[in-house]
Amino acid sequence: MAPSIPDIAQTPQGHEGGAPAPLHVAIIMDGNGRWATQRGWPRLAGHRKGAEQIKKVVQAAPDLGIRYMTIYAFSTENWKRSTQEVLGLMKMFRLMIKREAAELSRQGVELRFIGDRTPLDPLLRETMDAIETRTKGNSKLTLAVAINYGGRDELKRAAQSIARDVAEGKITADEVDEAMISSRLDSAGMPDPDLVIRSSGETRTSNFLPWQAAYSEYEFTPTLWPDFTPDELSDILDRFAGRERRFGGVAS
Ligand code: IPE
Ligand code: IPE
Ligand code: MG
């Protein structure tokens, strides 16, 4: 008997025909420090300019057909930086979220955060919780901001949560499947990214979405993040549209 064909036509979300998949673009916003250093400015000046670019890119995203966007703002490894830079970034995150809350809401953006927020400053966490509540259900664009995010850390926390349920007898080990793991990640409920973009010329993923991006397309651009524009995003999307995604199948 032929082995039954697993139901993987529905692999990465929504690509099984019918309505076009909602486009999820994830961005590793790298190069702020070099952008500032090239100008003889402190690194934080680069982060501030980088934050301005995020606003432009987010504003342009829905018109480019993007429904979900995930941006890497601070990794679990970024604590290795100077206290001044780390504190400066944390302060900037809080101010940005507070300042942009009304505008994001007006634009129909749902803001959420991925990453472990437990070690973050309580004031920052409050601001994060508040904007998540305020923008919940907005449907023009879902923007996930990765703060204190590490893919391995996220998988570790998901494994712990599943292990606890197994230990308590709520589920059996055999019931653990890929969908359950996805549903325990911080990104639960979002489709996997179709495209991951990294700026600044580095060609590595630096612990970003290792599970979710298993079948993503990648684009690496030499542009430093503070110089990245919606026009460049549009060009990248044009190139992406010409790619053939096979998901393990054969060319059509
Ligand atoms: C990315 O820019 C932003 C964060 C990691 C917070 P960098 O700060 O890593 O910039 P470079 O790589 O040093 O130029
Ligand atoms: C990745 O950039 C993290 C963010 C963009 C927030 P890094 O600059 O921290 O990555 P590495 O150290 O070059 O791999
Ligand atoms: Mg960097």
Side-chain angles (χ1 to χ4, degrees), residues 108-157:
V109 176
E110 176 181 62
L111 198 69
R112 54 185 282 183
F113 298 93
I114 60 171
D116 180 6
R117 50 185 97 177
T118 50
L120 302 179
D121 181 90
L123 279 177
L124 173 59
R125 287 170 61 178
E126 253 172 50
T127 312
M128 290 161 70
D129 292 344
I131 195 165
E132 276 184 336
T133 307
R134 177 169 179 175
T135 63
K136 199 172 172 59
N138 285 351
S139 55
K140 189 106 172 153
L141 176 79
T142 296
L143 175 66
V145 184
I147 297 181
N148 191 30
Y149 176 86
R152 288 183 171 184
D153 176 70
E154 182 189 38
L155 280 162
K156 177 204 76 179
R157 287 182 286 110

Side-chain angles (χ1 to χ4, degrees), residues 158-176 180 184:
Q160 287 173 333
S161 131
I162 292 170
R164 269 185 226 110
D165 281 0
V166 173
E168 288 171 18
K170 291 184 186 157
I171 50 170
T172 67
D174 288 339
E175 280 167 350
V176 178
M180 183 185 293
R184 306 268 174 144

Side-chain angles (χ1 to χ4, degrees), residues 43-148:
R43 293 177 57 85
L44 276 166
H47 295 312
R48 275 195 291 274
K49 179 67 167 54
E52 292 303 310
Q53 297 313 103
I54 300 175
K55 279 201 276 182
K56 292 182 195 160
V57 166
V58 166
Q59 212 164 9
D63 287 340
L64 294 171
I66 297 170
R67 174 63 185 81
Y68 297 90
M69 186 172 257
T70 300
I71 55 176
Y72 208 1
F74 193 90
S75 76
T76 46
E77 288 72 37
N78 286 148
W79 299 103
K80 292 175 191 159
R81 299 184 178 201
S82 73
T83 311
Q84 188 194 23
E85 183 170 353
V86 170
L87 290 181
L89 279 165
M90 294 297 158
K91 190 170 160 201
M92 193 186 82
F93 295 150
R94 181 155 166 266
L95 290 177
M96 271 284 283
I97 299 165
K98 266 183 123 78
R99 208 175 47 205
E100 300 305 322
E103 180 58 18
L104 287 170
S105 221
R106 200 189 59 73
Q107 289 172 11
V109 176
E110 176 181 62
L111 198 69
R112 54 185 282 183
F113 298 93
I114 60 171
D116 180 6
R117 50 185 97 177
T118 50
L120 302 179
D121 181 90
L123 279 177
L124 173 59
R125 287 170 61 178
E126 253 172 50
T127 312
M128 290 161 70
D129 292 344
I131 195 165
E132 276 184 336
T133 307
R134 177 169 179 175
T135 63
K136 199 172 172 59
N138 285 351
S139 55
K140 189 106 172 153
L141 176 79
T142 296
L143 175 66
V145 184
I147 297 181
N148 191 30

Side-chain angles (χ1 to χ4, degrees), residues 28-37 43 46-47 72-75 78 81 85 89 92-93 198-200 202 204 224-226:
I28 303 171
M29 310 180 294
D30 197 17
N32 295 349
R34 276 163 283 173
W35 184 90
T37 305
R43 293 177 57 85
H47 295 312
Y72 208 1
F74 193 90
S75 76
N78 286 148
R81 299 184 178 201
E85 183 170 353
L89 279 165
M92 193 186 82
F93 295 150
R198 182 172 188 145
S199 60
S200 92
E202 309 298 348
R204 54 180 169 264
L224 301 176
W225 177 253

Side-chain angles (χ1 to χ4, degrees), residues 180-235:
M180 183 185 293
I181 294 171
S182 292
S183 76
R184 306 268 174 144
L185 299 177
D186 302 334
S187 57
M190 289 176 77
D192 288 337
D194 301 286
L195 172 66
V196 180
I197 300 169
R198 182 172 188 145
S199 60
S200 92
E202 309 298 348
T203 46
R204 54 180 169 264
T205 62
S206 303
N207 207 4
F208 190 46
L209 307 175
W211 174 274
Q212 299 90 331
Y215 252 107
S216 302
E217 300 290 323
Y218 278 86
E219 275 276 340
F220 298 96
T221 168
T223 306
L224 301 176
W225 177 253
D227 292 326
F228 190 90
T229 60
D231 279 347
E232 180 163 7
L233 176 60
S234 177
D235 290 346

